[in-house]
Amino acid sequence: MPARRDRPWLMRTYAGHSTAEASNALYRRNLAKGQTGLSVAFDLPTQTGYDPDHGLARGEVGRVGVPVAHLGDVRRLFHGIPLERTNTSMTINATAMWLLALYRTAAGEQGADPAVLAGTTQNDIVKEYLSRGTHVFPPGPSLRLTTDTIAHTVRHMPKWNPVNISSYHLQEAGATPVQEIAFALSTAITVLDAVRDSGQIPPDRFGTVVGRISFFVNAGVRFVEEMCKMRAFTTLWDRIARERYGITDPRARRFRYGVQVNSLGLTEAQPENNVQRIVLEMLGVTLSRDARARAVQLPAWNEALGLPRPWDQQWSLRMQQVLAEESDLLEYPDLFDGSHVVTRRTAELAEDAWREIGRIQDMGGTLAAVSSGYLKSELVASHARRRARIESGEERVVGVNCYRTGEPSPLTADLATAVLAVDPAREAGVVAGLGDWRARRDGATARRALDALRRTAEGTGNLMPATLDCARAGVTTGEWAGALREVFGEYRAPTGVAGAPAAPDADGRLARVRGAAAATAGELSAGRLRLLVGKPGLDGHSNGAEQIAVRARDAGFEVIYQGIRLTPAEIAATAAAEDVHCVGLSLLSGAHSALVPEVLARLRAAGADGVPVVVGGIIPAADAAALRAAGVAAVFTAKDFGITEIIGRIVDEIRAAHGLLPVLEVPS
């Protein structure tokens, strides 16, 4: 019989949308339902350091998270929630220092001592260059912001996790388990080396820094391998802490991690299957006591369709609660000690990951591997291989490439109500509120605080004190980031597309599309068909765009892909200058209704209105119909998993735009 029952992990729901007030109501409801920690989702302008009234923020405000432009927003976001008794995780990276300063200031106004505040700022900029795309500054200054935040929290906020090395988005971008382990631990080495070398922490306190590093991982549906991955993570982190940093306290060497289980594998087709996928993924990070997550947040079954409703998030929370409260999982020691299968697979993953870590160190470390494009190319190539396995049927996905015949789902009988719709009118209210804030604050005090921030950035001092002064002075998110942009500049990360391998073509489908593309180019007296792949707005989820670019290249297209964060005007100007045959837009943030019509208008103004435009992303059916009515030639969503077929459809849309008959039988 078990001797005692373990405490459950922290249970969170990744949440936030529309406005601070709406998100506050959501948080309070979730806490009342038994959620034991908060996980704040910020909108893209907040993540990338823009105010809601900036041109790039159009259509993005409150879409994928809560907009936070100043201290007043944070006050409203956490109104009625005692922060000294709340464990808060903030998924924020490029602007992590700023959001932590706002949080600490708001907590202080509640009377909380900074020393008792518990929670996490993700603060992992490396994965932003590789997978999520919300980076702002170049690698060097970004690492300084991370280092300064860590040094400040070690001295003043000892219960806070100042950095949460995130491999979550690496897996979303196609990382294998070995890559996820190796890239994340290499990032941790880069961060710890930078803190050590900064001289801000005495050597006798460096163990405290190591002990406050946490990780945020992904767990896919191959739950046995995912569990072994976590055991390998634990083994290698202990080795790094002991051998590289000389940490003797086993508590400081403990691998501390939270998890959001995989969203990449959630399907639009038969979305009810996502429920069992989520449960299996949760088991991979909870079954093994010696490598169990300290915090878990689960996606909702309908995230491939759009923004989950509160009820959908409640369902995911109840999954955790049933496992923790009704099962006997927490009553036993590790279930897999002594398992030959688990021991062998764990050792294989650890060995391969250690070899990859060594390769990255030989390159000069993670930042060098980012700048060279090595890490991004590896992820794009890995993702391309995964997509090829799904398209060929080698990797089976129920409801997508096998067992596609089924009963209609009552969960999606009314698609209009199956997801949460964010009222676009909320954006105007947020922008108006920002104007009121600027009018009410002491402008001279805000300017002095920003001047002090610039001077600190030009020197070598810790940036957190000046950032705290900005928070108290009423500076806005865009102003704080803008001041640092003036000193540090901005950064465009490598796309990784050029180094991706060619897709296999066992069944000849790609060859047929390649032949059609070549024939069409000949009929149009063009050397090759030219496709512009564009990412308008602030959405940094570039995985889909990259895979389209790679497959179009393999089909013989000349592909123009400039990466993320482009304005509609820039996309239209490039389309006209390059005389492209098609424009493909990728948007996953929900801003398609605002940005796609603007691209169409800009193309008309540039004299390129005859160029067909296709759009891909998480786009509800009603929105897709509206886009087609506005002039979009084709809309692709998550159910369109066959990339070769998508490229074939693009060829036919180009032919249709020039009055040519289709040559491929591609379903619309």
Side-chain angles (χ1 to χ4, degrees):
M1 291 294 294
R4 67 177 180 85
R5 182 177 176 85
D6 291 337
R7 283 174 55 186
W9 51 89
L10 272 174
M11 299 183 190
R12 292 186 170 123
T13 303
Y14 182 57
H17 64 83
S18 303
T19 66
E21 292 87 349
S23 299
N24 172 264
L26 179 61
Y27 296 163
R28 293 169 75 168
R29 288 200 304 271
N30 286 345
L31 290 170
K33 294 171 184 174
Q35 183 174 301
T36 52
L38 294 178
S39 181
V40 181
F42 297 97
D43 73 356
L44 289 173
T46 304
Q47 293 186 54
T48 52
Y50 292 105
D51 283 333
D53 59 354
H54 191 279
L56 274 172
R58 182 171 178 265
E60 308 277 18
V61 177
R63 283 285 180 181
V64 300
V66 59
V68 174
H70 48 73
L71 181 59
D73 287 337
V74 179
R75 289 170 181 154
R76 291 192 295 275
L77 183 62
F78 296 109
H79 177 70
I81 300 173
L83 297 183
E84 65 181 0
R85 300 198 304 272
T86 304
N87 191 300
T88 304
S89 172
M90 294 190 281
T91 304
I92 196 74
N93 294 284
T95 55
M97 176 182 284
W98 174 242
L99 269 297
L100 181 59
L102 292 174
Y103 185 87
R104 176 181 160 171
T105 302
E109 292 178 347
Q110 291 185 359
D113 181 348
V116 305
L117 295 178
T120 302
T121 33
Q122 192 164 92
N123 203 18
D124 174 8
I125 199 62
V126 171
K127 64 96 175 175
E128 298 300 326
Y129 299 131
L130 300 177
S131 52
R132 183 60 186 87
T134 66
H135 54 275
V136 177
F137 313 111
S142 293
L143 186 58
R144 176 184 172 186
L145 286 165
T146 299
T147 299
D148 286 356
T149 302
I150 293 171
H152 176 86
T153 56
V154 167
R155 289 194 297 264
H156 303 288
M157 302 174 68
K159 292 187 176 183
W160 195 266
N161 300 319
V163 62
N164 191 222
I165 305 298
S166 176
S167 68
Y168 174 82
H169 285 101
L170 300 182
Q171 187 179 125
E172 296 286 294
T176 65
V178 167
Q179 290 172 329
E180 189 178 345
I181 297 168
F183 294 1
L185 292 181
S186 295
T187 298
I189 289 171
T190 295
V191 169
L192 287 175
D193 283 359
V195 174
R196 179 195 60 197
D197 297 344
S198 75
Q200 296 189 66
I201 302 297
D204 62 350
R205 294 202 64 195
F206 194 71
T208 303
V209 176
V210 176
R212 296 317 304 174
I213 297 283
S214 62
F215 292 78
F216 186 67
V217 306
N218 204 324
V221 76
R222 292 170 56 85
F223 74 94
V224 175
E225 184 172 63
E226 293 295 318
M227 181 189 63
C228 293
K229 178 187 76 180
M230 299 320 308
R231 294 168 79 94
F233 251 130
T234 299
T235 299
L236 294 184
W237 180 242
D238 184 82
R239 180 177 179 180
I240 290 168
R242 278 188 295 108
E243 295 181 2
R244 189 179 185 93
Y245 302 110
I247 306 302
T248 57
D249 183 352
R251 292 172 299 179
R253 299 199 306 264
R254 187 180 303 144
F255 185 77
R256 302 160 59 250
Y257 79 97
V259 62
Q260 159 97 12
V261 306
N262 188 279
S263 295
L264 175 66
L266 302 184
T267 63
E268 180 181 357
Q270 297 182 16
E272 63 274 10
N273 295 335
N274 294 331
V275 175
Q276 49 266 35
R277 291 186 179 109
I278 292 167
V279 171
L280 286 171
E281 291 164 352
M282 174 175 59
L283 293 179
V285 292
T286 55
L287 283 180
S288 175
R289 184 179 186 270
D290 292 346
R292 182 172 293 150
R294 294 170 67 103
V296 176
Q297 56 192 46
L298 303 180
W301 68 275
N302 55 349
E303 285 196 13
L305 305 176
L307 190 65
R309 301 158 299 186
W311 182 86
D312 305 312
Q313 293 185 328
Q314 174 184 296
W315 193 358
S316 291
L317 176 63
R318 295 293 188 247
M319 293 177 196
Q320 295 196 59
Q321 291 169 332
V322 168
L323 179 64
E325 303 296 342
E326 297 186 26
S327 84
D328 57 354
L329 175 65
L330 299 178
E331 298 174 7
Y332 292 92
D334 198 288
L335 306 177
F336 301 96
D337 280 349
S339 165
H340 298 301
V341 172
V342 170
T343 300
R344 182 173 64 251
R345 186 61 183 135
T346 299
E348 290 169 351
L349 291 171
E351 181 180 347
D352 292 346
W354 191 253
R355 188 180 303 113
E356 180 65 19
I357 290 170
R359 183 178 296 114
I360 293 169
Q361 292 305 304
D362 289 343
M363 293 179 184
T366 304
L367 294 191
V370 166
S371 298
S372 70
Y374 169 76
L375 294 182
K376 182 65 174 178
S377 292
E378 289 293 292
L379 289 175
V380 172
S382 178
H383 198 184
R385 287 190 289 268
R386 177 182 180 272
R387 291 298 305 236
R389 291 194 301 272
I390 293 174
E391 290 181 59
S392 70
E394 176 187 350
E395 185 171 321
R396 291 162 71 82
V397 181
V398 174
V400 174
N401 63 4
C402 62
Y403 309 116
R404 298 175 65 177
T405 301
E407 300 299 325
S409 171
L411 292 174
T412 55
D414 183 1
L415 284 173
T417 60
V419 293
L420 179 67
V422 175
D423 184 356
R426 296 281 187 95
E427 182 169 323
V430 172
V431 171
L434 174 63
D436 291 342
W437 174 266
R438 290 192 185 119
R440 292 197 310 270
R441 72 181 180 184
D442 185 333
T445 300
R447 287 191 294 273
R448 285 194 297 270
L450 287 167
D451 288 341
L453 177 68
R454 290 188 193 91
R455 289 194 299 272
T456 305
E458 290 165 352
T460 59
N462 189 299
L463 286 159
M464 181 57 96
T467 296
L468 282 164
D469 287 342
C470 285
R472 299 179 187 115
V475 166
T476 68
T477 297
E479 291 168 345
W480 177 86
L484 294 183
R485 280 183 169 99
E486 293 175 23
V487 179
F488 296 152
E490 292 192 75
Y491 184 71
R492 294 194 70 81
T495 66
V497 168
D505 189 28
D507 58 6
R509 285 181 299 165
L510 182 56
R512 289 193 293 275
V513 173
R514 188 184 298 116
T520 303
E523 291 178 70
L524 298 179
S525 301
R528 286 190 294 168
L529 295 182
R530 291 180 296 280
L531 171 66
L532 171 61
V533 177
K535 290 284 298 176
L538 298 177
D539 172 35
H541 281 110
S542 59
N543 305 332
E546 290 155 2
Q547 295 306 312
I548 291 292
V550 169
R551 193 64 58 84
R553 177 205 66 188
D554 294 346
F557 278 74
E558 178 184 342
V559 178
I560 299 98
Y561 175 56
Q562 299 169 317
I564 62 172
R565 217 176 299 171
L566 299 172
T567 65
E570 289 171 330
I571 291 172
T574 300
E578 298 286 348
D579 192 23
V580 300
H581 296 97
C582 182
V583 174
L585 303 178
S586 171
L587 296 98
L588 285 87
S589 66
H592 48 266
S593 296
L595 296 180
V596 173
E598 185 175 349
V599 172
L600 294 172
R602 296 279 186 175
L603 286 170
R604 287 193 294 271
D609 52 323
V611 176
V613 175
V614 300
V615 180
I618 299 177
I619 302 173
D623 289 357
L627 291 177
R628 286 190 289 267
V632 169
V635 177
F636 302 101
T637 65
K639 70 179 184 299
D640 302 298
F641 73 95
I643 300 181
T644 298
E645 284 74 16
I646 291 174
I647 303 303
R649 177 74 182 279
I650 289 173
V651 172
D652 277 346
E653 293 298 344
I654 293 172
R655 296 183 64 83
H658 289 85
L660 303 175
L661 294 175
V663 295
L664 293 165
E665 293 183 3
V666 181
S668 61

